[in-house]
Amino acid sequence: MKKIDRFIYPGTVRESIEGKRHYSVGNEKLPSVTTILSATQSEEKRASLARWKQRVGDKQADDIKNLAANRGSTMHKILEKHILGEGYQDLTELGQIATKMANLIVERGLSKVEGYYGTEVTVHYPGLYAGQTDLSGVFNGKDAIIDFKQSNKAKQREWIGDYFTQLAAYAMAHDYVYGTQIEHCVVMMSTPEPFYQEFILNGEELKKYKYDWLRRVDMYYNSK
């Protein structure tokens, strides 16, 4: 994939403050987008997660979350190395599943990316927040923020509101610091079957999730 040298992104320095992920950018220590999203979850979502954990049991719930996290980390590493043209192999059972998932994203999703500005990109909004998006680049001819997601099963669009809010946050930070106008945010998702799904966020829907993100940031800082 072609690298486009248009933006200079800061290095990634993560640290934990009171058990929550933050990023050091310049002289600022900023809460991560995921930290803010977690802290401002709706009561409905918290209750839903609690019911699921009660239904399957604490141990199984932890096992499912850990397996998904490890598989997702491996899939992300394979995709990052592919984008950089370096290649990466994991021959464990989990690695082979993650490889199939990554390959499907390459075939069905990254084939539409004409070039990239950065991979594992740290973006920040001075004084408010920071985060790391998987890819910034040109998707179907437009500047885009792209995130790779793994899922245990196929998702419906209405289930992934937090993913959209996360991408809207990254787009706003990128626009503010680099003077861009990101019009497309893309979720490229794969399941272990493997099964590929792609969700594009733009137009009025993107504006809606930007407002949702600003509301969550306000909630977060007011709670402090």
Side-chain angles (χ1 to χ4, degrees), residues 1-2 4 6 105-117 135-148 182-189 196-202:
M1 188 183 297
K2 180 175 68 174
I4 304 171
R6 182 177 169 191
I105 288 176
V106 170
E107 294 164 11
R108 300 282 301 279
L110 290 182
S111 58
K112 293 176 249 183
V113 177
E114 296 143 43
Y116 75 99
Y117 302 128
L135 193 66
S136 65
V138 182
F139 174 85
N140 281 344
K142 295 184 181 295
D143 284 347
I145 295 293
I146 300 164
D147 252 16
F148 310 129
I182 302 292
E183 298 177 1
H184 279 62
C185 295
V186 187
V187 176
M188 298 180 180
M189 184 184 296
Y196 178 75
Q197 290 181 281
E198 185 174 286
F199 301 92
I200 299 174
L201 180 67
N202 56 22

Side-chain angles (χ1 to χ4, degrees), residues 21 23 32-34 37 121-125 129-135 145-147 149 162-178 180 182 185 206 210 213:
R21 179 183 293 176
Y23 287 84
S32 72
V33 171
T34 51
L37 287 174
V121 168
T122 296
V123 292
H124 74 291
Y125 200 110
Y129 65 88
Q132 190 175 63
T133 187
D134 295 325
L135 193 66
I145 295 293
I146 300 164
D147 252 16
K149 302 292 187 184
D162 272 3
Y163 292 168
F164 289 152
T165 304
Q166 182 181 14
L167 286 172
Y170 296 154
M172 289 179 72
H174 201 285
D175 287 349
Y176 184 84
V177 172
Y178 298 102
T180 52
I182 302 292
C185 295
L206 175 55
K210 285 180 178 179
W213 171 245

